[in-house]
Structures are given as C-alpha cells and as structure tokens.
Amino acid sequence: MLMLTTAAWAQHLDFMGYPIEGNITDFTAQVRQRFPVQKRVGGDRYYIYQGTVFGHNTYLKAEYSRKSRTVYKITVTPKQIEENAFLDSLVAHYGEALEVQGGYRWNRPGGTVFLYTPEGYDPVLMYFDEQGVATFRKEQ
C-alpha cells in the first residue's frame, strides 16, 4: 500500500508564475529574465530585483533562511503608486481580498499574499510561502 504524507501534497505559493521554492540561487535562476538581480545583500539574507508586477514598475526583495538559503518571503515595492490602483490590479488577479488590520489579504494555495500600506508610504505587497516560512522559523 502506498502512503503519502501531507508534505507530499504541499504546494508552494506562486509569485507571477514562479513557485517560491528552493534556495535563493535556484529562485534567482527561475526569475532572472523577467526580474534581473539589482543587488545581493548576503549579510542580511536578501536579493533585490527589478521588474514589472501587474503592470507596475517595481522592486522585489527575496528573503531567505540562514542555513539552507530557502526563499520564504517576496516583498514587492512599486515605484510611486496609489494604493487603490494597486489594489484594483490585485483584485483583478486574485479576486476579492479579505480586509484585515493594516491592509488586505489573499489566502492562496501554499501561502498568503498581503497588501500593506504603512502610514505616509507607498503600498507594499508581500508573499509568504508556508513551507519557506516554516523552514525560516526552524533555522532561526
């Protein structure tokens, strides 16, 4: 009898058609044509990329865990955008959002997408991969 664990069925969160999985080198290899690397900040465990997300020119920050270098979070920072315009783009792609304190959330297979607008700043879009976050916490 074949037994499959829950982990076998686990799915990674998708970011613009790319699964947020593996280490930072593998992730960069996947996205480099669409999102070229602008800066590697190894000491702080993140890479900065630049590209277009939902029609908006943005910077991306991919954060990774200490030991395995597993990508667990992508932060998208559009260059000068109004929150409602960005929210409309996200709703068109992900559907209606759950309004939460400080922003909007979409529960997706494999993780969570969160739009947050710090007071006085432009909106920030964050992707949290469930498996990557679990690895990050384990390696802390």
Side-chain angles (χ1 to χ4, degrees):
M1 182 168 147
L2 179 65
M3 294 188 66
L4 296 176
T5 65
T6 304
W9 293 102
Q11 181 177 7
H12 287 278
L13 181 63
D14 181 85
F15 168 72
M16 305 301 297
Y18 304 101
I20 302 172
E21 66 180 343
N23 66 39
I24 190 68
T25 304
D26 296 339
F27 181 77
T28 299
Q30 284 187 82
V31 303
R32 70 175 172 220
Q33 286 191 325
R34 186 169 176 189
F35 302 103
V37 173
Q38 301 297 303
K39 187 175 186 178
R40 291 179 172 95
V41 186
D44 290 329
R45 297 186 311 273
Y46 67 85
Y47 283 17
I48 301 289
Y49 310 81
Q50 187 173 1
T52 302
V53 175
F54 302 119
H56 306 285
N57 193 18
T58 65
Y59 287 107
L60 314 172
K61 179 180 180 181
E63 296 180 56
Y64 56 91
S65 66
R66 183 170 36 119
K67 293 177 186 172
S68 64
R69 299 171 44 97
T70 300
V71 177
Y72 68 93
K73 177 181 173 186
I74 306 294
T75 303
V76 178
T77 309
K79 296 179 181 179
Q80 300 176 335
I81 187 169
E82 201 271 321
E83 179 183 26
N84 287 332
F86 202 32
L87 180 59
D88 289 346
S89 298
L90 295 166
V91 167
H93 186 77
Y94 293 122
E96 286 302 313
L98 177 61
E99 192 166 354
V100 295
Q101 183 176 354
Y104 300 90
R105 184 179 76 210
W106 292 266
N107 295 320
R108 308 292 301 159
T112 302
V113 178
F114 183 66
L115 177 65
Y116 172 69
T117 304
E119 191 172 325
Y121 294 93
D122 289 333
V124 175
L125 181 62
M126 294 174 277
Y127 290 75
F128 295 94
D129 178 71
E130 284 178 5
Q131 291 181 49
V133 169
T135 299
F136 171 76
R137 287 183 177 150
K138 189 169 78 172
E139 293 181 9
Q140 284 289 52

